[in-house]
Amino acid sequence: MEYILKNGLVYDPANEINGDKMDICFKDGKIVESVSDDAKVLDVTDKVVMPAGVDPHAHVAGPKLVLGRLYRPEDSRRGVSQKTKVERAEAGFSIPCCPTTGYRYSRMGYGTVCEAAMPAMEAKHTHEEIATIPNIDINPLTLFGNNWFVMEYARENRLEDLAAYIAAFLRVSKGYGVKIVNPCGGEAWGWGKNVHGYNDSAPYFDVTSRQVVTALAKANEMLGLPHSIHIHPNDLGHPGNVPTTIETLDSIRNIAKSTKKAAQVRDQTVHCTHLQFHSYSGNSWKDAASGADEVAKFVNKSPYMTCDIGQVTFDETTTMTADAPMEYDLFKISGLKWANKDIECETSSGIIPCIYSPKTPVATLQWAIGLELFLLIDNPWQVCLTTDHPNAGPFIRYPRIISWLMSAPRRMEMIDNGEVHKWSHKRTGLAGIDREYDFYDIATITRASAARIHGFADRGALTPGYNADIAVYDVNPNDFDPSRNPEEVEKIFTGAAYTIKDGQILCVDGDLVATKPSHVLWTDVKGWEQQEADIVNEIMPFFTQYYSLKWETYQVHDHYLSNPIAVEAPAK
């Protein structure tokens, strides 16, 4: 069918549309310039219309989610609801079951989510979970930062071989891009160690984090992948980690962006994830303070980089990451139950519950630093809204974060009334920032910037020819002041008036009315086929000797994929 959204107030930053009253037409799942007189009219007069949300960094599928659900049954008992004619039963809070994940994103008006850490060895199961998450498209990022082959190619500066290896393993895992987590630190964890700086070496490999990251960045641009390298730097969560963060990002400054077609959508050569966790000054938690001002100044003068925040939401949640030594550190601090895993020759991982209480100094410091970064980074196109779900809080708290960003009085109320610990103003500069986001800014950090950063050329905007992924919110910005109504802001963004995915109406007034299968997006590198074959032949003896899986069972075959969309990275 063909539809027309009538008289909406459109916020579409990619097309520089800022609250204009206009109609949006779509037909056969795509945005179109116009429709016939037979089109079904959806009256959205004076309601906010945006592209559907794009989450650039979350953990929603894969074995780590399964392990989290198994060892945290108390979390699975939260958020339980009975099945309906439309949806299956829901369960879980910070690590919801797969169908629940799709439902909850739809209610908020989201259409695409990046699964931000997929080990190639566990890619099959990740894709199996993606196939059971409805309503949202998912692009998984393959982990490379502690891969044995990567470290050897980086040490020997074999950049063309490294590029061929990346191309081959994106094909093997059906991954979308290059993810780097605590480079060399994950490998060190296999020996009970960690790296504590950008120039530290992985044990027994004689290669530094710097060599691994810069080599991967150069290879990424050599291939012209749609997304830049996506990095979780060393020293996450450690007081005094600002110098490591800045040194890591600064090392990419002179690496030129590819001119190949697939890379032309994005502007950056490096995306730093959950920047809040990498913005601490001090020497220990006794003197820890915000380093957000220094980090934000660096971002503001570095147009080649982008970031998402990892905003703390003051919830009991579950942390899960390939940064296993960091999880062990958290276990030693909290004493809470802890799970650990080594994924042979590729990466590590860890899981532990975490309680972010607004009454505790560290959680409050983290909360304030995240908001500082949002408010001190000048260009909304360089920053995205995330909680690093579920690490700093569940994604269902995005509307609450939006209310904090749009209301300086609400932030000050939390500080002045003692809702949050006094570290919020004693050790950060949040109380002195009066900047407020408007609806155009919110559309940028939750849709347009994330889509551009990931190199999407079919979503994140209401451009004719793009997917008809649209969200409508029941608010008229012309007679509504978000600064004075933060609770209403949260309510508005929690339940979309309409969520439309690929032209299908999935949500009406915050309630699901339909579901649809997900799509998985992966990158198909063109022009490197012979180099890929050569590199696979080269590694095969080592693979056969040291991996527990046979090559034939290691690869993700097409039947594991949920309605795949292959994004081509062309040779030219």
Side-chain angles (χ1 to χ4, degrees):
M1 291 183 65
E2 48 184 352
Y3 289 85
I4 180 168
L5 289 167
K6 199 75 176 174
N7 295 325
L9 300 175
V10 176
Y11 292 86
D12 182 13
N15 290 301
E16 299 182 348
I17 299 172
N18 187 0
D20 298 353
K21 178 171 280 193
M22 56 191 298
D23 301 337
I24 300 295
C25 303
F26 57 98
K27 178 181 180 180
D28 298 332
K30 299 291 184 180
I31 305 289
V32 294
E33 293 276 7
S34 61
V35 288
S36 72
D37 293 339
D38 296 328
K40 183 174 181 178
V41 175
L42 301 177
D43 185 4
V44 294
T45 299
D46 293 335
K47 291 180 172 62
V48 166
V49 178
M50 296 180 179
V54 178
D55 189 341
H57 183 104
H59 301 281
V60 294
K64 60 185 178 295
L65 279 298
V66 176
L67 179 59
R69 297 181 192 111
L70 285 173
Y71 106 128
R72 291 212 66 207
E74 67 276 14
D75 187 88
S76 296
R77 297 187 189 107
R78 299 176 65 185
V80 175
S81 65
Q82 292 183 338
K83 72 174 184 178
T84 69
K85 292 180 180 179
V86 175
E87 54 185 290
R88 298 169 62 179
E90 295 188 33
F93 176 67
S94 65
I95 33 177
C97 64
C98 291
T100 301
T101 296
Y103 304 154
R104 291 178 182 172
Y105 269 111
S106 285
R107 292 192 188 104
M108 297 193 308
Y110 273 70
T112 303
V113 179
C114 171
E115 164 48 52
M118 178 177 69
M121 193 172 192
E122 297 184 338
K124 277 186 176 178
H125 187 84
T126 302
H127 286 286
E128 287 177 322
E129 289 223 314
I130 288 173
T132 63
I133 299 175
N135 294 8
I136 54 174
D137 296 344
I138 298 176
N139 61 312
L141 302 180
T142 304
L143 287 158
F144 285 98
N146 290 279
N147 183 289
W148 283 17
F149 300 111
V150 168
M151 290 190 290
E152 288 189 356
Y153 294 142
R155 182 187 65 230
E156 298 168 7
N157 200 34
R158 294 168 58 187
L159 295 182
E160 288 200 6
D161 288 339
L162 177 56
Y165 181 83
I166 292 170
F169 272 65
L170 290 179
R171 190 177 311 282
V172 163
S173 64
K174 296 301 187 289
Y176 186 80
V178 174
K179 177 64 181 290
I180 307 169
V181 173
N182 188 14
C184 295
E187 173 57 26
W189 183 242
W191 307 94
K193 302 177 182 180
N194 195 6
V195 295
H196 298 288
Y198 194 42
N199 298 302
D200 287 1
S201 297
Y204 308 107
F205 276 89
D206 192 27
V207 63
T208 66
S209 302
R210 177 187 294 272
Q211 288 174 288
V212 169
V213 172
T214 55
L216 284 168
K218 291 173 183 177
N220 194 98
E221 299 310 319
M222 191 179 296
L223 294 169
L225 299 183
H227 186 37
S228 66
I229 58 168
H230 188 112
I231 186 168
H232 158 148
N234 305 118
D235 289 340
L236 178 143
H238 295 157
N241 61 13
V242 168
T244 298
T245 303
I246 291 177
E247 186 178 9
T248 301
L249 298 172
D250 192 54
S251 70
I252 313 298
R253 181 175 300 275
N254 295 319
I255 295 176
K257 187 172 80 74
S258 173
T259 59
K260 294 180 180 180
K261 183 177 179 181
Q264 289 176 358
V265 174
R266 62 174 162 91
D267 295 321
Q268 84 283 359
T269 51
V270 59
H271 178 81
C272 183
T273 193
H274 41 63
L275 190 59
Q276 175 272 132
F277 286 113
H278 302 279
S279 301
Y280 307 156
S281 65
N283 298 298
S284 70
W285 287 116
K286 292 181 179 180
D287 66 351
S290 172
D293 184 63
E294 183 178 358
V295 172
K297 286 178 180 176
F298 178 85
V299 176
N300 289 336
K301 65 180 183 182
S302 304
Y304 63 89
M305 71 153 292
T306 56
C307 64
D308 59 77
I309 297 301
Q311 176 63 45
V312 165
T313 63
F314 293 137
D315 285 291
E316 178 187 327
T317 189
T318 309
T319 66
M320 51 180 63
T321 175
D323 192 345
M326 186 281 297
E327 291 285 40
Y328 179 72
D329 290 344
L330 190 57
F331 159 70
K332 296 295 287 185
I333 292 171
S334 68
L336 297 173
K337 57 185 177 180
W338 164 65
N340 174 68
K341 188 174 184 181
D342 180 69
I343 301 169
E344 56 194 65
C345 305
E346 291 187 358
T347 187
S348 61
S349 65
I351 303 176
I352 189 170
C354 190
I355 302 169
Y356 294 102
S357 168
K359 300 299 184 181
T360 59
V362 172
T364 297
L365 177 68
Q366 294 172 313
W367 168 80
I369 289 172
L371 292 176
E372 279 187 291
L373 289 169
F374 272 121
L375 300 168
L376 292 173
I377 294 173
D378 295 333
N379 184 1
W381 286 93
Q382 286 185 271
V383 63
C384 304
L385 171 59
T386 64
T387 59
D388 183 22
H389 166 84
N391 287 296
F395 65 81
I396 57 173
R397 295 297 192 223
Y398 290 174
R400 184 167 298 174
I401 298 170
I402 291 171
S403 74
W404 293 334
L405 294 175
M406 300 187 85
S407 177
R410 174 56 183 148
R411 300 193 300 264
M412 287 307 303
E413 179 183 43
M414 296 175 73
I415 293 170
D416 292 341
N417 292 351
E419 288 184 50
V420 294
H421 192 273
K422 60 185 179 182
W423 273 22
S424 61
H425 60 274
K426 286 186 174 294
R427 302 201 182 191
T428 83
L430 181 61
I433 305 173
D434 58 6
R435 178 183 175 187
E436 295 177 327
Y437 276 43
D438 59 22
F439 284 98
Y440 190 77
D441 295 327
I442 296 301
T444 303
I445 68 168
T446 60
R447 285 135 168 95
S449 65
R452 180 179 292 179
I453 286 165
H454 277 273
F456 297 142
D458 61 357
R459 65 196 69 212
L462 301 176
T463 306
Y466 275 39
N467 296 342
D469 293 359
I470 308 168
V472 180
Y473 298 101
D474 190 5
V475 58
N476 183 346
N478 296 319
D479 58 18
F480 176 78
D481 184 356
S483 179
R484 296 178 177 272
N485 297 280
E487 291 184 359
E488 189 64 21
V489 169
E490 182 175 354
K491 180 180 177 181
I492 288 164
F493 283 98
T494 296
Y498 287 102
T499 301
I500 299 163
K501 181 78 182 86
D502 295 326
Q504 183 176 347
I505 299 172
L506 301 180
C507 182
V508 178
D509 294 331
D511 295 323
L512 285 179
V513 297
T515 61
K516 67 181 300 295
S518 61
H519 294 270
V520 62
L521 287 75
W522 69 281
T523 298
D524 183 6
V525 179
K526 298 295 186 181
W528 286 74
E529 290 80 5
Q530 187 57 55
Q531 292 96 320
E532 288 182 44
D534 292 343
I535 210 72
V536 170
N537 287 334
E538 177 183 310
I539 69 171
M540 195 55 61
F542 179 95
F543 189 97
T544 303
Q545 182 175 359
Y546 288 101
Y547 269 74
S548 61
L549 293 180
K550 292 184 177 180
W551 181 254
E552 292 76 15
T553 60
Y554 185 79
Q555 302 177 71
V556 177
H557 299 291
D558 290 346
H559 65 271
Y560 281 92
L561 304 182
S562 175
N563 304 304
I565 299 173
V567 178
E568 291 189 0
K572 295 182 180 181

